Amino acid sequence: MYEAVKHFRISGDGLYSQKCNDFFKYNYKFKNNFLTPSCTAALEMTALLMNIKPGDEVIMPSFTFVSCANAFVLRGATIRFIDSNCNEPNIDVSKIEALVNKNTKAIIAVHYAGIPCDIDELIRIKKKYSLVLIEDCAHAIDSYYKNKPLGSFGDFSTFSFHDTKNITCGEGGLLVVNNKKYVKRAEIIREKGTDRAAFFRGEIKKYSWIDIGSSYLLSDLSAAYLYGQLTSIKTIQSKRIKIFNRYSANLNNFSKYFKIPESFIGKKYNGHMFYIILKSSKERSSLIEYLDMKNIQAVSHYVPLHNSKFYKEKHIVDSCKNADLFSKRLLRLPLHPYLKMNNIDDICENILNFYKIL
Ligand SMILES: *Cc1c(COP(=O)(O)O)cnc(C)c1O
């Protein structure tokens, strides 16, 4: 960060933004990278690039963060929510085709907890109906599907570097544009609707207003922090994965009391999140309270968007039973790189104590 300041250039697309872009290019083979102030901003850029307008429909899981829907609702789109799989929160791809119609423009795949959605099936549907596929990779940096990094499959992929994510710069995001047809305009929309990026490359003498847009650049101060994180990504990820595996080993055999997703066992993910599924929301509240007394912060997750105050009041929505279930019963356990193995053992012991298993 001091380097960024020393270079007297801390606005967007400076030295450290370039270094971050090169990192993504080199490590994940992402060719067109646009650092943004947030994943939310990356999703908003996507909606602008797609020329989303009133009447358009976008398909996404209900069990996701509000920005997925909000970015498209801002452009006037109607959201069609799909339920989660019964055994884990990712989008149930078998339910997508029934909702596709002539107004459908895109599908958003959210790789919940860094676990890949069924990419092969999503690509088949995308091709069959000529839809745009967007991967929300907010949880999914450095996670892979058939040896290819998540974020390589969508026309667009969005990442978050918010504090709560594996790699962070406080607030930050990345839009990866894999479909070449959108690259040029992405540059313009991100620079307030101007061709300033081409001007900085020396391709034109003056830049001017040529399209709609907004300010979607990440400060180079934040990019400098982000680059520091990226250079430590191997250490960060290996610590998170070690913690994930410890939870998995410690809590694997108690399905009579709570479940851990089958998709967690014996697989290599990015250690973004470890959660368990309890029998009822009442039991979850008691366990949260019990752990809180021991200074352990375990937390629930999303209120499904189909059930949100904002959406429910305005639309008739399809039911999403599994999303409701995860909303009521999923419990995230503490996971950050500073936790030691004995902390994890202690957390697990407390959970087992709660159930009087020990
Ligand atoms: C965190 C998160 C976002 C939003 O990220 P910001 O960078 O805070 O805008 C979007 N989608 C999902 C799935 C998230 O978890």
Side-chain angles (χ1 to χ4, degrees):
M1 266 207 282
Y2 298 114
E3 279 297 309
V5 175
K6 238 168 49 192
H7 281 83
F8 295 110
R9 188 150 180 247
I10 52 175
S11 54
D13 285 344
L15 178 70
Y16 283 90
S17 300
Q18 194 51 53
K19 282 178 189 265
C20 293
N21 287 344
D22 290 345
F23 179 94
F24 299 127
K25 207 174 258 183
Y26 182 79
N27 287 279
Y28 304 129
K29 311 241 169 352
F30 298 158
K31 289 202 187 78
N32 307 297
N33 305 304
F34 299 94
L35 286 173
T36 55
S38 63
C39 182
T40 304
L43 287 159
E44 287 178 19
M45 268 184 76
T46 302
L48 285 169
L49 281 162
M50 287 180 61
N51 284 325
I52 293 289
K53 58 183 189 315
D56 290 348
E57 293 188 12
V58 179
I59 290 175
M60 68 184 68
S62 173
F63 198 72
T64 186
F65 193 64
V66 59
S67 300
C68 296
N70 191 63
F72 292 86
V73 169
L74 276 174
R75 317 300 324 149
T78 300
I79 309 299
R80 304 299 303 270
F81 291 114
I82 297 219
D83 203 2
S84 298
N85 291 315
C86 62
N87 54 0
E88 54 92 38
N90 277 345
I91 189 165
D92 181 349
V93 290
S94 72
K95 302 220 168 87
I96 295 177
E97 281 189 276
L99 290 194
V100 175
N101 61 50
K102 63 177 188 345
N103 297 322
T104 311
K105 291 291 173 324
I107 307 171
I108 306 184
V110 182
H111 305 297
Y112 186 81
I115 296 174
C117 296
D118 184 345
I119 302 265
D120 288 339
E121 181 61 9
L122 286 165
I123 289 176
R124 185 191 69 77
I125 298 169
K126 164 198 150 59
K127 286 194 173 143
K128 182 169 169 192
Y129 300 98
S130 305
L131 303 175
V132 168
L133 178 63
I134 301 155
E135 289 182 79
D136 181 341
C137 296
H139 301 183
I141 192 160
D142 212 43
S143 217
Y144 295 79
Y145 178 79
K146 299 188 173 169
N147 293 323
K148 262 180 93 176
L150 293 181
S152 335
F153 304 95
D155 296 275
F156 299 96
S157 303
T158 62
F159 290 82
S160 173
F161 305 119
H162 184 265
D163 249 355
T164 49
K165 311 297 182 336
N166 286 30
I167 298 295
T168 175
C169 58
E171 302 275 356
L174 170 72
L175 174 65
V176 177
V177 183
N178 292 318
N179 186 334
K180 282 198 214 94
K181 123 176 161 198
Y182 297 103
V183 173
K184 232 182 142 78
R185 191 160 177 246
E187 216 174 68
I188 290 157
I189 283 180
R190 188 161 162 267
E191 277 281 18
K192 305 94 189 164
T194 74
D195 47 6
R196 194 172 175 190
F199 169 73
F200 280 133
R201 283 194 302 268
E203 292 165 19
I204 47 173
K205 283 214 179 75
K206 251 189 180 154
Y207 73 86
S208 63
W209 187 19
I210 54 174
D211 198 341
I212 57 164
S214 190
S215 181
Y216 289 125
L217 283 83
L218 182 73
S219 153
D220 215 49
L221 267 184
S222 300
Y225 193 100
L226 181 64
Y227 185 65
Q229 289 259 302
L230 290 172
T231 52
S232 308
I233 194 167
K234 284 213 166 72
T235 320
I236 294 170
Q237 295 296 84
S238 79
K239 282 186 180 163
R240 296 190 79 107
I241 290 166
K242 220 172 130 196
I243 293 167
F244 182 98
N245 289 341
R246 188 76 159 209
Y247 273 132
S248 193
N250 285 356
L251 298 176
N252 196 1
N253 286 320
F254 302 100
S255 57
K256 214 171 104 196
Y257 302 92
F258 53 81
K259 286 206 177 94
I260 66 175
E262 288 153 47
S263 48
F264 274 12
I265 300 161
K267 296 268 174 62
K268 188 182 165 288
Y269 296 124
N270 65 347
H272 175 61
M273 184 196 299
F274 192 92
Y275 64 84
I276 56 179
I277 309 290
L278 308 183
K279 289 214 175 96
S280 69
S281 72
K282 203 162 144 240
E283 189 169 292
R284 184 177 67 182
S285 307
S286 323
L287 179 55
I288 289 175
E289 214 171 288
Y290 181 85
L291 293 174
D292 192 50
M293 282 187 323
K294 317 270 177 182
N295 266 327
I296 298 164
Q297 266 77 53
V299 287
S300 60
H301 213 179
Y302 304 126
V303 174
L305 299 178
H306 77 281
N307 248 336
S308 62
K309 183 170 178 311
F310 176 81
Y311 217 75
K312 214 165 50 176
E313 280 172 4
K314 299 182 181 58
H315 302 86
I316 302 163
V317 284
D318 309 308
S319 84
C320 294
K321 283 204 314 257
N322 296 327
D324 287 333
L325 184 147
F326 290 120
S327 172
K328 290 192 181 107
R329 303 200 213 153
L330 184 148
L331 184 70
R332 292 180 289 161
L333 304 181
L335 205 170
H336 59 77
Y338 298 108
L339 286 167
K340 302 264 179 297
M341 287 307 122
N342 63 331
N343 300 135
I344 306 304
D345 293 345
D346 180 53
I347 293 165
C348 296
E349 209 176 295
N350 275 299
I351 294 171
L352 299 183
N353 267 328
F354 171 83
Y355 285 102
K356 305 197 167 39
I357 299 171
L358 285 182

